[in-house]
Amino acid sequence: MTTHQDTTAAEGVSPKDVVVRALSAAGTAIGQLASGLSTALLALLVLLWAAVAAVTSLVGVGLLVAPVVLRALHSLAGKERTRLARWGPEVVAPEPPPTRLRLALVDPTIRRELRWLVRHATLGLLLALLGVLLPIFAVRDTAFPLYWRFAPTDATATSIGFGTAHSWPDALAVSLLGLSWIIIIFGLAPGMARLQSRPGQQLLAAGPDVDLSLRVAELTATRAAALDAHAVELRRIERSLHDGTQNRIVSVTVLLGAARRMVARDPAGADELLERAQSAAEQALAELRTVSRSILPPVLDDRGLAGALSGLAAESAVPCTIDVDVPERCAAAVEATAYFVVAEALTNIAKHSGAHNATVTALSRGGRLRLRVEDDGRGGADEDGGSGLTGIRRRIAALDGSLTLASPPGGPTTLEVDLPCGS
């Protein structure tokens, strides 16, 4: 008779591997459930807000706040898409829905988002709370025999609020309840995570009636822009190394060779050549550091995006004010792009705008990083006219971001950039 252990061994999977996989699946599921708590709580607030707006619309008041509710709903749906993409496949968003009430009532995207809102604010919130509480219950009850003697005599022994422990058998019974919580986590947590994410994956994605050809074309163009930006960056680095650092190093080599030949017959002249070689080596080292900083500024690792932008503002030729509200770190590529965008924008302001003041605003919300660079200069900037703005646009396109430039003649000029935080 073949046992389960023999079958497992024959398949090349040891019991240890099975336990490790179960632990990993349960841990991932608990993390996914807990991550949905923030969006579920926000979904409950938006749902209550929408209900109040619907009721008060009978007297006209709700009609005034309905567009704000719709924008909040769409923003929350985008936040949920970002969360789901961290734990599974990307949820492709449909076209932005309208915010005008009459159009929104008949828009299929709004209807799908409302259906998701109701499910996530009820079942999704319940599952998220279980994802947070079950591990706490498991740890508390399993470890109860370790501290039950120090608990008040009339205190509840279990996590679910009933029973008291007056003896070791009572304490051990509570620990058995803790083991049952662990079994529930192992057995049900992955299914609970799938149940929580299913409404978002089904209702927040582009529907079958949406033509995805535009999105495919957009992603194709984005990939091409990324490759172009990468090639341009490699050419810039190669040119900097060839025209600057390499020439300095060649000069050092020539000077060292000449100094070696002059050491015996003209020590003073050899010493002068060595001094020139040292100066050329220091210049080459400085240029090499400049090139390396242009690839990925170390200040981003040392001080984060807020500190890096503050440093750019301090070094700007035009007085610059910085307002940064980025509570969490973004992906390294996103922070580097934001840094270079602001650096290039401030350089353009100093060279071409004639501005007296500039303002840089960075805001991170809903998985998006938004940059805004303003100046009070003469305006007239053309998005397609200069290499600086062309480079900015390529960097942004490589991350599937967007750029908006408003620069009427006479000013002011406003550059707005929207980047996904997790690219």
Side-chain angles (χ1 to χ4, degrees):
M1 180 177 181
T2 303
T3 63
H4 174 70
Q5 184 176 0
D6 296 334
T7 304
T8 304
E11 294 175 354
V13 180
S14 66
K16 180 181 177 181
D17 293 334
V18 175
V19 173
V20 169
R21 291 178 184 176
L23 277 172
S24 177
T28 301
I30 289 297
Q32 183 176 350
L33 288 168
S35 71
L37 183 60
S38 60
T39 55
L41 289 173
L42 291 175
L44 180 61
L45 292 177
V46 174
L47 180 61
L48 295 175
W49 193 9
V52 172
V55 173
T56 56
S57 63
L58 299 176
V59 294
V61 178
L63 298 177
L64 300 177
V65 299
V68 182
V69 175
L70 293 175
R71 282 194 292 269
L73 171 61
H74 185 57
S75 175
L76 181 59
K79 186 178 181 68
E80 178 69 4
R81 291 187 190 97
T82 302
R83 184 187 75 87
L84 292 175
R86 289 199 301 266
W87 299 98
E90 179 185 4
V91 180
V92 179
E95 289 295 319
T99 56
R100 296 183 61 182
L101 186 58
R102 181 172 297 179
L103 297 176
L105 290 176
V106 297
D107 185 76
T109 298
I110 290 291
R111 293 181 179 178
R112 291 162 66 89
E113 289 182 351
L114 284 173
R115 289 165 57 193
W116 165 80
L117 183 72
V118 173
R119 297 188 188 183
H120 198 56
T122 52
L123 179 61
L125 178 59
L126 175 61
L127 293 172
L129 290 174
L130 289 176
V132 172
L133 294 176
L134 281 177
I136 298 175
F137 289 173
V139 173
R140 182 197 180 280
D141 291 346
T142 304
F144 185 73
L146 301 178
Y147 63 86
W148 75 277
R149 284 185 175 275
F150 304 100
T153 56
D154 57 345
T156 302
T158 62
S159 298
I160 52 180
F162 68 87
T164 56
H166 301 289
S167 62
W168 277 106
D170 294 340
L172 293 175
V174 175
S175 69
L176 292 177
L177 178 61
L179 292 176
S180 69
W181 294 129
I182 295 176
I183 294 173
I184 290 175
I185 292 174
F186 273 86
L188 299 182
M192 292 165 58
R194 290 192 296 269
L195 185 61
Q196 184 196 56
S197 62
R198 187 174 301 151
Q201 293 170 344
Q202 293 178 346
L203 298 174
L204 298 183
D209 55 332
V210 176
D211 184 9
L212 295 181
S213 59
L214 294 178
R215 179 59 176 165
V216 172
E218 179 183 351
L219 292 176
T220 303
T222 298
R223 184 181 64 177
L227 294 174
D228 289 343
H230 180 66
V232 169
E233 189 69 9
L234 288 179
R235 284 195 297 270
R236 182 190 65 79
I237 295 172
E238 189 275 335
R239 188 165 55 249
S240 298
L241 293 175
H242 181 272
D243 297 342
T245 308
Q246 179 176 298
N247 289 339
R248 300 289 184 190
I249 295 176
V250 170
S251 177
V252 170
T253 303
V254 172
L255 291 171
L256 288 176
R260 188 184 62 172
R261 290 189 295 271
M262 292 177 62
V263 167
R265 68 175 187 274
D266 188 3
D271 185 66
E272 180 182 354
L273 289 177
L274 288 175
E275 185 175 349
R276 290 171 57 189
Q278 181 181 1
S279 176
E282 291 173 351
Q283 293 176 4
L285 182 60
E287 291 176 354
L288 189 59
R289 286 173 177 167
T290 301
V291 173
S292 65
R293 288 193 185 101
S294 69
I295 298 173
L296 185 63
V299 67
L300 287 172
D301 287 332
D302 299 337
R303 301 171 58 190
L305 184 60
L309 296 184
S310 298
L312 288 177
E315 298 172 358
S316 174
V318 177
C320 182
T321 303
I322 292 286
D323 182 13
V324 180
D325 183 9
V326 184
E328 297 180 357
R329 295 296 299 266
C330 298
V334 176
E335 291 188 346
T337 298
Y339 178 87
F340 285 121
V341 164
V342 174
E344 185 65 34
L346 292 179
T347 300
N348 288 344
I349 290 173
K351 287 183 177 179
H352 309 297
S353 71
H356 300 290
N357 294 282
T359 303
V360 176
T361 304
L363 177 67
S364 175
R365 291 290 186 275
R368 309 292 296 185
L369 176 63
R370 294 175 176 84
L371 300 173
R372 183 183 179 94
V373 183
E374 302 175 88
D375 69 77
D376 58 357
R378 65 177 66 95
D382 184 2
E383 184 177 340
D384 300 319
S387 60
L389 286 173
T390 301
I392 290 177
R393 188 176 65 252
R394 284 177 175 172
R395 285 183 179 273
I396 294 169
L399 296 179
D400 200 15
S402 62
L403 179 147
T404 304
L405 178 66
S407 183
T413 297
T414 302
L415 177 71
E416 294 183 343
V417 174
D418 188 339
L419 296 169
C421 283
S423 293

